[in-house]
Every structure is written in C-alpha cells, then in structure tokens.
Amino acid sequence: MQVFMIGSGPFDEAYFKQYVEDVMDNKHGEAVYVGIDLGAKRFVEMDETMVFALGDFDSVSETDYQHIVDNANDVIRLNPMKDETDMQAGLNWVIDHYPNAEYHLLGALGGRVDHSLCNLWMIFMPEYQRVLEHIHLIHPKNWVNFLSPGQFQVNKVSEMTYLSFILMTPVQELTLTDVVYPLDRATYRYPMALISNEFLANHTQMSGSFKTGLIAVIQSRD
C-alpha cells in the first residue's frame, strides 16, 4: 500500500503526478490519497478522490471545504486550538488504518521553517518509531528518509545530486561505503550534519551501518 499525503506547504502538481506515477511503476499495491488541510483542496483541484481529509481547514474557504467533503470518503475537521499539527494528526490516522504501508508526505517541506522542522522532528515521537523507515518527505529539490540502527542501503534518486546524512542524535560507529566521502565506524557525540556527499560515479546504490542513533538521509539538488 502506498499512501500519498499532501500538506499545506509548497506544492508542485506536475511533480506530484510524476512522482506518484514513478512510485506506482516500481511498487506493488494500491495508491491511496490523503489530504491534509490545504492539501485536501489540492486533491480536489486535481479531481482526485481522497480516502480521508483532515485539518482545521482554516486555510480554505467554506465553499472549498464543501468541495473537499464531496471528494473525500471521510473528513475530520479539527479544532484550530489543538496540541498536534494537522500533519501529525493525519499521519496518526493513516498509520492506524494502513499500518503496513509506505507513507509519502508532500507539501511538508520548503515553506515555513517551523513547519519543516516540525515535520522532521516528529519522527522522534514514540508512535512513529515502528514505521520511521517507511516515512518519506518529498519535495522537488529534497527527498528525506530516515534510518534506524543497523545495516542499510540507499538507492540514488536519479534527479538528485547530493547525498547528506543528518545525524539527528549522537551516532556510534557510522560506516559509509560507495560514496565520494566514505566513513569507517565514525562516532559523533552530538547531532551533526554531514552534507554534500555524493554517490560514486556510475553507482546507483550505497551502503552503510551504524550502531546507535537516528539519521535522516537527504538527497537533494540545487
């Protein structure tokens, strides 16, 4: 199951459609759409039916809200005064309803810095630990995935240039192979941004490992 969520951040409709097509060409299962606040309006504008729409909808008109209701199987309208963001509430819903899915979040990066940081830091919440490697934050210039301790592989996104490892916690014994700047069991006692690495020429995959910590992998381009 591939769950595509659109939030209220910067959004490129053409990029989204191509991304969904590429994912579904390479993955098995059904695609389902979930609109988060303004993201629900974006699905309406694309004439796509959502399985679920959620938000306080303070960024859409009442007319737009009625169109959202007409284009979603289920809608929850939240009180604007709440303890979690619309994106967090939406992610909680999809994890409950599709516990074994891949979660693709668009419109989650590139706008307000506090919103982007919130969408990055929410990975520390206990309810997301089981699925953190299945959460993907997607932006036309930045793809973010998360790694938990152990061995890992990263496949190159063809349109991206740079490969960065954002150590969101202290990390022990980080090894990176098949990259321009390799590491061999390096330990960092505090969070660190290891940016602007690259895949080796003619390589479409790299591998590595680490013993403890949490890492965000970002593939990006200028």
Side-chain angles (χ1 to χ4, degrees), residues 121-132:
W121 291 141
M122 70 181 180
I123 204 68
F124 287 107
M125 298 172 68
E127 55 264 43
Y128 303 144
Q129 295 307 297
R130 181 184 65 82
V131 298
L132 68 86

Side-chain angles (χ1 to χ4, degrees), residues 102-121:
E102 297 290 323
Y103 312 104
H104 308 266
L105 282 57
L106 295 95
L109 299 172
R112 282 173 47 181
V113 173
D114 56 341
H115 284 171
S116 294
L117 286 175
C118 182
N119 291 328
L120 288 168
W121 291 141

Side-chain angles (χ1 to χ4, degrees), residues 194-218:
L194 308 178
I195 68 169
S196 298
N197 210 329
E198 297 181 42
F199 289 85
L200 290 177
N202 301 317
H203 282 61
T204 59
Q205 187 180 79
M206 62 79 59
S207 60
S209 63
F210 60 106
K211 187 175 181 180
T212 63
L214 176 63
I215 297 177
V217 179
I218 303 178

Side-chain angles (χ1 to χ4, degrees), residues 140-156:
K141 291 188 175 183
N142 301 280
W143 286 27
V144 183
N145 296 289
F146 301 95
L147 300 173
S148 54
Q151 296 184 338
F152 63 86
Q153 293 180 326
V154 178
N155 294 318
K156 189 179 191 308

